[in-house]
Amino acid sequence: MADQVTTRLCVWIVKSHFGDIIANVVNVLASRGRLTFRQLVVFTKIRPRAIRATLLVLTQHSLLWHSSSTSASNNVLLGGKETDEGEEVFEFNVDECLLRLRFGKYLLIAKELFGDDGLLLVQTILDHGRLRFSDLESKIPELDRSTRQKLVRKMLQRRFLKSTSEYMNKSRTDRLAEMEHKVLTMESKNNSAASSSALASAKRLGEIRILAEERMKKLEEEAASLALARRVQ
């Protein structure tokens, strides 16, 4: 949940890029925090079909996090009732939205580092959001396959582009909470009842968080390495 100034800025950014309906949904998400689909319909007073389309657009552009209420760090309320366990909740990615203010700078750097072809490729990705390599053929037919392959490989190597997956649709807070839960579950199975009290100590919980962060970072690095090593098809 963002403060009022940040919320207004995000709404202005989204409105200029995507229009009024999506901006209205973002206004509710940014100001109220995590919400379910039902709650979005109630608070925005927008038709469910339009809400679904909006969520797809925001996800496509990495502006929305998804999680279930069981993995969310806090359940949200509607009419004094918590969300149903396992119900999907949505959260606006404020940081990603604010990065859209730098799109002009990204394009200047892309042209400087990768030339006009690189500028065209980056502009296409910024316009359309997440794209598979095969999608680029229809989006930028003026670049031949060999050129696209070389550009994408070079940009991945220099971390100018990054791969994504369904796992990355969850916020870092949720990913870390899930990893901590996995570590705790594994240790509770391996430890005897006599040593289980150590799990409740503040020191041990701090160690578990560090271990969870290390494992989560390793997963993300492996995903990035896989994208780089895999042949672009």
Side-chain angles (χ1 to χ4, degrees), residues 42-228:
V42 171
F43 290 132
T44 62
K45 296 179 172 59
I46 296 174
R47 292 181 178 180
R49 184 175 180 179
I51 295 287
R52 291 190 185 95
T54 294
L55 296 178
L56 287 174
V57 170
L58 293 175
T59 301
Q60 176 71 14
H61 288 269
S62 302
L63 294 172
L64 194 69
W65 281 318
H66 302 244
S67 63
S68 65
S69 57
T70 54
S71 64
S73 58
N74 60 296
N75 285 356
V76 286
L77 301 176
L78 178 60
K81 297 181 179 180
E82 287 190 346
T83 57
D84 295 334
E85 184 174 342
E87 189 172 7
E88 188 173 22
V89 292
F90 305 95
E91 182 180 0
F92 185 63
N93 188 340
V94 174
D95 293 337
E96 188 71 26
C97 180
L98 296 178
L99 287 176
R100 299 181 77 86
L101 294 172
R102 303 181 182 179
F103 275 11
K105 184 68 172 179
Y106 295 163
L107 294 174
L108 289 174
I109 295 174
K111 183 172 182 178
E112 180 180 345
L113 295 178
F114 308 105
D116 291 334
D117 290 343
L119 172 63
L120 179 59
L121 190 148
V122 171
Q123 179 70 69
T124 301
I125 293 175
L126 294 181
D127 287 343
H128 296 279
R130 300 175 180 182
L131 292 174
R132 295 171 297 182
F133 180 77
S134 58
D135 296 328
L136 295 175
E137 183 175 359
S138 60
K139 303 297 183 184
I140 43 177
E142 52 266 61
L143 296 184
D144 60 71
R145 180 181 177 82
S146 176
T147 300
R148 292 195 303 271
Q149 283 182 324
K150 291 177 181 178
L151 277 174
V152 170
R153 283 188 178 278
K154 188 180 296 185
M155 289 182 178
L156 285 171
Q157 288 172 339
R158 302 185 68 169
R159 306 296 174 127
F160 204 84
L161 293 181
K162 63 179 181 180
S163 62
T164 187
S165 65
E166 185 178 355
Y167 174 72
M168 299 303 291
N169 284 340
K170 295 181 180 180
S171 70
R172 189 180 188 281
T173 300
D174 286 332
R175 298 198 304 270
L176 181 58
E178 288 183 359
M179 186 60 71
E180 287 179 350
H181 178 71
K182 289 180 180 179
V183 173
L184 279 169
T185 301
M186 291 175 59
E187 292 203 356
S188 64
K189 290 180 179 179
N190 296 331
N191 288 323
S192 63
S195 61
S196 61
S197 59
L199 293 175
S201 69
K203 179 180 179 181
R204 185 56 190 150
L205 289 175
E207 293 172 348
I208 288 174
R209 172 168 285 262
I210 293 174
L211 179 59
E213 288 179 340
E214 291 175 348
R215 292 187 178 182
M216 188 175 70
K217 183 179 179 181
K218 184 178 180 180
L219 279 176
E220 294 170 357
E221 290 176 346
E222 287 176 352
S225 299
L226 179 63
L228 185 59

